[in-house]
Amino acid sequence: MELAIVGLGKMGGNMAERLLLGGHKVVGVDPSAEAAARLKSKGGVHAPSIVAAAGMLKGPRHVWLMIPAGSPVDEAIAAVLPALSAGDTIIDGGNSNYKDSQRRGRELAAKGIHFVDCGTSGGVWGLKNGYSMMIGGPKEAVERMRPIFETLAPGKAEGWGHVGPTGSGHFVKMVHNGIEYGMMQAFAEGFAIMHKKAEFGLDMAQIATIWQVGSVVRSWLLDLTAEALRQDQTLADIKPYVNDSGEGRWTVAEAIDLDVAAPVITHSLITRLRSRDSECYGERMLSVMRNAFGGHAMQKK
């Protein structure tokens, strides 16, 4: 099957390679000369633009976007649209907001173009292990792309599925990432407690390795954690600064809109935001107030 992939970063490049290994034709678009060279070395074709890439495909065309969410997606769609025909499909495999995907689906449907939103998980390990894909969009378009999904997934009948109409794929992926935040936070807090118990001299890497087999908390996330701790369990060179992709925020906002209590996911997001505040103005205010009403001592720089 033929496919154009726009965005050959770590994830997009690995997806392209997995598809090429599966016997599919891949036309890639990326401004990076290194990414283009990697694609060509694996048997793919590099195109100078998204329009040129679409022109290299037989109809019905499939153009898969692996680019940052927001305006870049709208700009890419606007750029390629003149080169597409009714019945062609645009797939957004990035972390777009599901409401944007619903809008794009409506706009493209009016022009006879299918829009598929594919929430994609697997990160840099997807080339080896396959990708988990939560897919929303028209049933006809998704079914036609079955060979693509079966190649990218961990197995033909596992790790992927058509979850519902346009927008549902990115909605499910959003919640998936929110859960991921909570799982990471729980592991981080647990290891922090054990690290603080200095009298036992606990070996964090050993404990993570023990938990990998037979434990109820065993998981791929724990496997990655164990490997990181085996390399360096002091983490002395790592700043306590944690970014977020934005999907945790969307999950919390959606929970509020739906009147669903999600304290674990919400707390994990707040912890990430708090990690970026090196001045901790709010906590300094707490110290000032505590001193004001109770005369409690304050520590000063």
Side-chain angles (χ1 to χ4, degrees), residues 82-129:
L84 300 183
S85 305
D88 292 345
T89 303
I90 294 175
I91 309 95
D92 180 4
N95 285 332
S96 291
N97 188 296
Y98 80 94
K99 294 179 182 178
D100 287 336
S101 296
Q102 289 178 312
R103 169 181 57 80
R104 290 165 184 146
R106 290 191 298 267
E107 293 171 352
L108 289 170
K111 301 177 186 298
I113 306 296
H114 297 304
F115 181 78
V116 171
D117 56 297
C118 181
T120 311
S121 181
V124 297
W125 294 89
L127 174 59
K128 177 182 177 181
N129 300 331

Side-chain angles (χ1 to χ4, degrees), residues 47-153:
S49 70
I50 190 171
V51 172
M56 295 179 184
L57 303 176
K58 297 177 183 177
R61 302 174 187 86
H62 300 88
V63 179
W64 190 304
L65 307 178
M66 287 302 293
I67 57 180
S71 58
V73 176
D74 289 316
E75 291 166 6
I77 291 173
V80 76
L81 203 52
L84 300 183
S85 305
D88 292 345
T89 303
I90 294 175
I91 309 95
D92 180 4
N95 285 332
S96 291
N97 188 296
Y98 80 94
K99 294 179 182 178
D100 287 336
S101 296
Q102 289 178 312
R103 169 181 57 80
R104 290 165 184 146
R106 290 191 298 267
E107 293 171 352
L108 289 170
K111 301 177 186 298
I113 306 296
H114 297 304
F115 181 78
V116 171
D117 56 297
C118 181
T120 311
S121 181
V124 297
W125 294 89
L127 174 59
K128 177 182 177 181
N129 300 331
Y131 297 89
S132 173
M133 293 170 289
M134 301 135 263
I135 306 160
K139 184 176 180 180
E140 171 192 348
V142 174
E143 190 58 34
R144 192 172 67 209
M145 291 188 64
R146 175 176 287 272
I148 295 291
F149 297 129
E150 289 179 343
T151 301
L152 290 173

